[in-house]
Amino acid sequence: MNYLKTSLTFSVMLVFLVCASSFGYAQNNQDSAVKPPNVDQRIEGWAAELDQIMSAIKRGSITKEELVAFRERVTNIRDASIQFSQELEPEVQNLSVRLKKLTEAENGILVSDTTPPPAEDTENAVEPGKSELSPDNEERAENATPLVAPKSDDRKKPQSDAEKALIKDIAELGGQVTTLNAQLGRAQVIVLRSDELIEEITELRRTKFTDRLLERFKSLILPSLWISSAKEIVPFTSGVIAILTSGGNRVLSEAPTAFFSALLGGIALAVLLLKFFRPLRLLSPTSMNDDEDRSHAFYERRGFNALQQVLRNVILFSLVPALVLVVLNQVGVLSPSLSELLWAVLETLIYYAVARGLSQAILAPKFPAYRLVSISDEMAQYIHRITIICLTIALVGFLVVDFARTLVASLDFIGFVYGIMSVSFAGVALGGYFYRPKEVDMPEQHFTDILIIRFLGVFVFAGFLIALLAPFLGYTYLAAFSVGQVIIAGIIAAILYICFALIDSCLGTQTPTPDDGGVPIIHTSNVKEQRYTQMMMLLSGVGKILLTLLGLSFFAASWGFDTTGIWDDLLNLFREIKIGEFSISPAIIVTSVIVLVIGILITRSFQSWLSTRFLPTTRLDIGLRNSIVTGMGYLGFIGSVMIAFSQAGLDLSNLAIVAGALSLGIGFGLQSIVSNFVSGIILLAERPIKAGDWIMVGGEEGTVRKINVRSTEIETFDRATVIVPNADFISGSVKNMMYGNKIGRIIINVGVGYDSDANEVREHLLEVAKAHPLLLTYPEAQVVFMDFGASSLDFQLRGFIADCGNSLSVRSDLRFAIFTKLKEVGIEIPFPQRDLHIKTTQGDVMQYVASDAEPTTQIQRKDQRMSAEIENDAGDD
């Protein structure tokens, strides 16, 4: 089955890609075949079209459909203008840069031409105080104009070909820039006019929608409304029968082959899809036993089963009528009135099929194994029955109104039908809720565990109340609108519920209850599975949020809101949020976060490669490897943060302000954090301790597991974890058993009796030491005669081992061996002996004198019972 689903999905994607590619190719060919109009003509056309639309909406009589079409046209104009401006701005910038460079080049040439050449004839230089003019010309020189460098504007110097070409290019570029700037400005004006016109159309739509919704007609309790509506029932029925009869006779007389071919073909196609198309075949509950019904695998399939239920209902009720109607329309044998009636019938059937399929998919009244909610069988059947009754009442009422509008019935008749339909719909729903049978209990689990369903539930209940009361107040359109909104809200909520189940089924994020069987996948001890599940849960949450927004947009569209405008506002909000003069771009923030996450993932991958692949091939010790891996992690994280800041557009030079603020905070309350951070860097650099070392610090003893930025993790020998701040290792005393190497010394204290031979004891202890494989032969073990004890001769067996981590087991082994050896050779291991002397004193105070090798101590206690016993013993003597 999974293979079939995968093959079907791949086939659908392949067909979609082929169709999209073909459409794109055809579109490109069409675009290339059509020569784009002149830019000025395009802008003038946009302006003329906006003027035409503005004149049209000024008319008093304009329909909702026309407003929708006008808004779409204006939106297309605005989008085209924005695209044109975006395409034009880079070109204007490039031409402006070229023009600036050419202007600077021209100014450079002019300046060099107007600068006088330096004097090179030093031999004929005029001495100070003398003039090189002749006496005849001195008078003429006095009246002459002073000699100055001619200005570029005043001189008349012949221009070279290069200068002429340069001036020509500057003129041409200047003209192009001026023209493009003018076109860009006109396009921006079109964008502004489009935005204003869109707001005006939206406001006009809302006004018309509100006026129509709150339009008041005759109340349903007025007898005149019932009388006038009853008079129109017979003409209305006759008109419908006449249209259907005449249209049916025309179809049978003019296109019988097309009609029966479409009918039989639709029936055959429906049978093939429902019976033999495997993706639409439901798994029969009767083929499974009770254990399999509650298995986790079947729980995962229930989302797909719900989708299959909906599709099967749509095929069952609407495939054949849709195929017949499409074929007859193509043949052209349907009259406009009959075509309108049949399309209304088809729309009603589609609504009924979808709503019925959703109810069956979620409630599964006949097959509890398919049920998506935990309710009893009686409750599921009851809710499904009430849903179908209400749905039938509403759809029949709307269909009758469509027929009445086609036959141009009176407004009183339409209002009467709306009123009867609304009151019946709300009465059945509310009566079924408040007056349900006693055996039908409230469900233990509602749909309200999803936020949007809870949100829509409030509107559904309010819609029931409005539909029940509004017709009696004359607001029949409001009542009918409420009925429609209840149906739409129910359909949206059910579709979202099934979509959420499908997302959980595809991503494997179900959390079945104990009644559903199976264990949720999140309850696993495997770290990789946990991370995978967490990622799937995040994807599931994002998908559900997007579906919720989509559902809300559809629901808002049914209220007359423009979903295009809503999505445009959301996109604009995503692009930039302005708070006063400060603007925030969520898109840039999200991009920066993605860059940061990618950088961190790359850093973690590089750290994993270092620790598992590269560093083990070197001769570096494990502590140095850990320092290198940790340091690379710090560098990668800092680099990722800097790149993310750059992507966000933050100037890293402004971080000096942040550093100043942090320094102020450090002075008041961050000393400990900074101290621990710096201490952690020192620990990684100097490595007085490293991962795997056996240390003692602050009364705690254990093995170093990890050196973090702020603290170090130590695992004690009883498997507890101690978190020690890094500053304690720098400012305090630390005992490291493995600092230089792992060689350690062990000492075994041994006491023997005073009648033992000391030399023999030494030989036996050395023999035991040499027999142990973990004791080093160099430095060799030695026996030290420590003291004459109170009860024994005290010796110490001292030796060295290669790994101090084995000291506990080596000590234990040696003690076992020494005890066995001394017992074999008959050397006594004495125990302390003490003599207790008791003597009486006056009164009830006694002295207890402990006589042994230690100094005598006297303890005075009050003991009535002990004193009495001693007196009795003395009397007997």
Side-chain angles (χ1 to χ4, degrees), residues 25-37:
Y25 179 75
Q27 188 70 23
N28 292 334
N29 290 341
Q30 182 179 0
D31 294 341
S32 60
V34 179
K35 184 177 180 180

Side-chain angles (χ1 to χ4, degrees), residues 460-471:
V460 168
F461 188 76
F464 283 135
L465 294 179
I466 294 174
L468 182 64
L469 301 178

Side-chain angles (χ1 to χ4, degrees), residues 738-752:
M738 303 178 177
Y739 178 67
N741 49 57
K742 293 185 178 182
I743 297 176
R745 188 179 72 168
I746 60 173
I747 299 176
I748 305 296
N749 295 315
V750 180
V752 298

